[in-house]
Amino acid sequence: MNLKKILLISGSILVIAAVGIFAADHIDAPAVEGTTSDITDLYAFQAPDNNSNLVFNVNTQGLLSPSATQNASFDPSQMIEINIDNNGDLVEDLVIQCVFTENEVFAYGPTAPPSTGTTSGVNLDAQQVSTEITQSGESPVVGTSNGISLFAGPRDDPFFFDFERYTAIINGNESSFRDPGVDTFAGTNVMSLVVEVPKNMLGNAETLNVWATTNSRTN
């Protein structure tokens, strides 16, 4: 795999903490909306079947119809980076860097970042796990190495939001949400990246600040 070292951040961010919080960013990042760089959600939570592990889930390319999902793919010119601050200064102390070929995904880390801020390079010397990218309609393919598990592929968008009613409230035409609400994202898919890592690889902090970025290759 020929990977360039220097990358420039093109889309981001969702800030998280601790053991079971998520953030979402659908349809409000005009610079990358509708592109492979568009992050919809970041989830960080304790593994349901192993309380010694933490799961990071970054979803991109929201609102994919079932037919569009058939042709959706990860962009080999981009890296998804999961940034982890474990000392409270809001600067990444560890990163998990995920890059793609046409059919495979590779995750490096958790490892100290080669640089912090808006540029980054892939640390090819970090511990690595890889797997095939699961295609639409296929059973999930999960790679595991050194206690780290990795999945990449299309998934049903798990986020629930009544966007129509939200817009009506913002415009002053309604005062509250419907009960039950109408899920704007029902029947749509995302391109999902999931990395599960042992907590002891993330330091000893009781609280972690986590954010995700998509990074485009510049050379």
Side-chain angles (χ1 to χ4, degrees):
M1 182 171 54
N2 181 20
L3 293 173
K4 300 294 185 181
K5 289 282 187 177
I6 304 301
L7 303 136
L8 175 66
I9 289 176
S10 62
S12 56
I13 286 180
L14 304 164
V15 180
I16 307 292
V19 179
I21 303 177
F22 65 89
D25 195 27
H26 288 72
I27 324 177
D28 58 359
V32 296
E33 182 178 339
T35 73
T36 55
S37 299
D38 193 0
I39 296 173
T40 63
D41 302 287
L42 168 62
Y43 303 87
F45 54 93
Q46 183 172 279
D49 58 352
N50 185 347
N51 60 13
S52 295
N53 285 0
L54 200 63
V55 179
F56 301 100
N57 172 204
V58 183
N59 291 334
T60 61
Q61 305 180 50
L63 301 176
L64 291 170
S65 68
S67 58
T69 304
Q70 300 291 326
N71 298 318
S73 62
F74 293 97
D75 188 342
S77 71
Q78 294 179 348
M79 172 177 73
I80 295 177
E81 187 171 76
I82 299 166
N83 301 273
I84 302 161
D85 162 34
N86 60 18
N87 63 13
D89 64 358
L90 302 182
V91 176
E92 61 270 39
D93 301 296
L94 297 168
V95 292
I96 301 171
Q97 301 176 313
C98 300
V99 294
F100 307 89
T101 65
E102 182 178 352
N103 299 312
E104 293 181 284
V105 54
F106 299 78
Y108 297 88
T111 183
S115 60
T116 60
T118 57
T119 61
S120 187
V122 180
N123 185 357
L124 298 176
D125 295 325
Q127 60 186 340
Q128 171 192 328
V129 57
S130 63
T131 189
E132 294 180 9
I133 295 173
T134 299
Q135 302 301 311
S136 178
E138 290 185 350
S139 298
V141 180
V142 177
T144 301
S145 179
N146 296 320
I148 302 172
S149 296
L150 175 66
F151 165 86
R155 278 291 172 269
D156 180 67
D157 191 340
F159 192 74
F160 184 102
F161 191 57
D162 190 339
F163 189 72
E164 178 183 343
R165 182 54 64 99
Y166 166 79
T167 303
I169 293 172
I170 291 297
N171 292 333
N173 298 321
E174 297 288 348
S175 59
S176 63
F177 281 97
R178 294 176 280 210
D179 184 14
V182 177
D183 184 11
T184 302
F185 307 122
T188 68
N189 300 315
V190 292
M191 295 301 286
S192 188
L193 173 73
V194 183
V195 187
E196 180 175 331
V197 303
K199 291 178 183 176
N200 60 16
M201 293 183 180
L202 304 174
N204 299 318
E206 293 185 359
T207 299
L208 301 174
N209 297 307
V210 182
W211 62 101
T213 57
T214 48
N215 305 259
S216 294
R217 190 169 66 193
T218 58
N219 58 26

